[in-house]
Amino acid sequence: MINKYQNIVILTGAGISAESGIQTFRASDGLWHNHRIEEVATPQGFANNPALVHEFYNTRRQQLLDPTVQPNAAHLALGRLEREHSGNVLLVTQNVDDLHERAGSENLLHMHGELNKIRCNHCGMGYDCMEDIGAHTECKSCGKTGGMRPHIVWFGEMPLYMRQIETALLHCDLFISIGTSGNVYPAAGFVEVARDSGAHTVELNLDPGSNSELFHQSINGFASQIVPAFVEQYLC
Ligand code: APR
């Protein structure tokens, strides 16, 4: 049972938010189907055309205010697991939406940043923001304009919280990967670190990810169904 595991690390990707109405990246209708990564998700893309990048993230940020976009049963099951499990449960997400927070998860690290935060390229100040931003946006700290950017980790930039994540992976006895295609490192390599630390590793995904063969266990299905079932089956 899951209670026999004392240090659980969970990794989530876009697939856990798909049933909440948030697009994934690499599906046929995914975000990278009609946007070029190098234009909207790299520092060079931002330097070349900040207005295009602001439009891309402003649209995704505003979607979080859509009342139809709510945490689904998978998010809620992970919030319950953290509350009810006797051991440590660390949730590492590649997602930049706020659905895990809204589902009650607190021990949570956004390794690719967060849509509802922005930061100033001039002074480095970061703060919460749900409004559209652009070249006109004035920094609340240094007062300059032209420097505000989404608090998102772009391709070529360092993911956040890697020291904490690596420490947790080296000490975990259960690693669960949910809703990620296993295409982007370092997240796609977490399963190997966990395995090498002796952890049991489980993939919960609509279909096998690129690194599926590295997991001890792979369960395929819709997150809103297989995640609550997994938590329910193992929690008690
Ligand atoms: N239930 C479970 N899994 C699902 C569901 C669902 N309802 N819908 C889709 N999936 C799975 C898909 O099968 C796919 O394997 O979720 C995965 C989503 O994969 P990607 O679109 O590649 O998203 P992700 O793995 O999170 O991407 C990682 O890449 O572009 C960067 O920074 C971006 O954080 C992102 C990173």
Side-chain angles (χ1 to χ4, degrees):
M1 298 301 120
I2 212 166
N3 270 323
K4 79 176 186 183
Y5 297 109
Q6 283 311 300
N7 294 293
I8 303 172
V9 175
I10 302 166
L11 171 70
T12 61
I16 200 170
S17 296
E19 292 163 85
S20 297
I22 294 185
Q23 269 179 298
T24 62
F25 293 94
R26 293 171 181 81
S28 56
D29 62 346
L31 282 168
W32 299 148
H33 183 68
N34 44 26
H35 296 87
R36 291 169 58 83
I37 287 176
E38 53 275 11
E39 289 180 349
V40 296
T42 62
Q44 192 54 53
F46 185 59
N48 293 344
N49 189 345
L52 178 69
V53 176
H54 282 310
E55 182 191 359
F56 179 64
Y57 288 98
N58 287 343
T59 303
R60 294 176 67 197
R61 188 180 304 109
Q62 289 313 309
Q63 187 186 23
L64 298 184
L65 299 174
D66 179 338
T68 66
V69 174
Q70 295 296 331
N72 63 57
H75 297 103
L76 295 169
L78 296 186
R80 178 189 167 210
L81 177 63
E82 179 184 324
R83 281 192 305 279
E84 296 183 15
H85 185 58
S86 57
N88 302 311
V89 179
L90 173 64
L91 176 51
V92 179
T93 187
Q94 299 173 94
N95 298 341
V96 294
D97 62 57
D98 60 351
L99 296 179
H100 281 309
E101 289 89 337
R102 289 161 57 187
S105 291
E106 295 179 358
N107 195 16
L108 168 63
L109 298 175
H110 282 271
M111 64 180 289
H112 289 169
E114 297 171 76
L115 269 178
N116 55 13
K117 290 182 171 58
I118 60 174
R119 70 172 191 268
C120 176
N121 265 341
H122 297 309
C123 69
M125 178 72 175
Y127 37 90
D128 294 343
C129 172
M130 281 309 291
E131 285 77 44
D132 286 357
I133 63 170
H136 60 283
T137 304
E138 190 178 294
C139 174
K140 288 179 187 168
S141 172
C142 70
K144 292 180 182 172
T145 59
M148 297 316 292
R149 61 165 280 180
H151 179 60
I152 299 289
V153 176
W154 286 327
F155 286 90
E157 294 183 323
M158 276 304 290
L160 305 173
Y161 310 112
M162 283 308 296
R163 189 180 304 275
Q164 286 156 271
I165 295 169
E166 282 156 358
T167 301
L169 290 169
L170 290 172
H171 296 93
C172 73
D173 49 13
L174 177 61
F175 175 73
I176 309 169
S177 174
I178 303 170
T180 181
S181 61
N183 280 306
V184 176
Y185 287 80
F190 289 174
V191 55
E192 288 177 280
V193 179
R195 274 181 68 111
D196 292 350
S197 308
H200 180 59
T201 57
V202 184
E203 176 190 45
L204 302 178
N205 208 51
L206 187 58
D207 38 45
S210 303
N211 58 355
S212 190
E213 75 287 348
L214 297 174
F215 290 85
H216 294 106
Q217 204 179 349
S218 186
I219 300 169
N220 297 134
F222 291 104
S224 67
Q225 295 167 14
I226 62 177
V227 176
F230 184 84
V231 169
E232 188 64 38
Q233 177 192 0
Y234 283 88
L235 191 65
C236 43

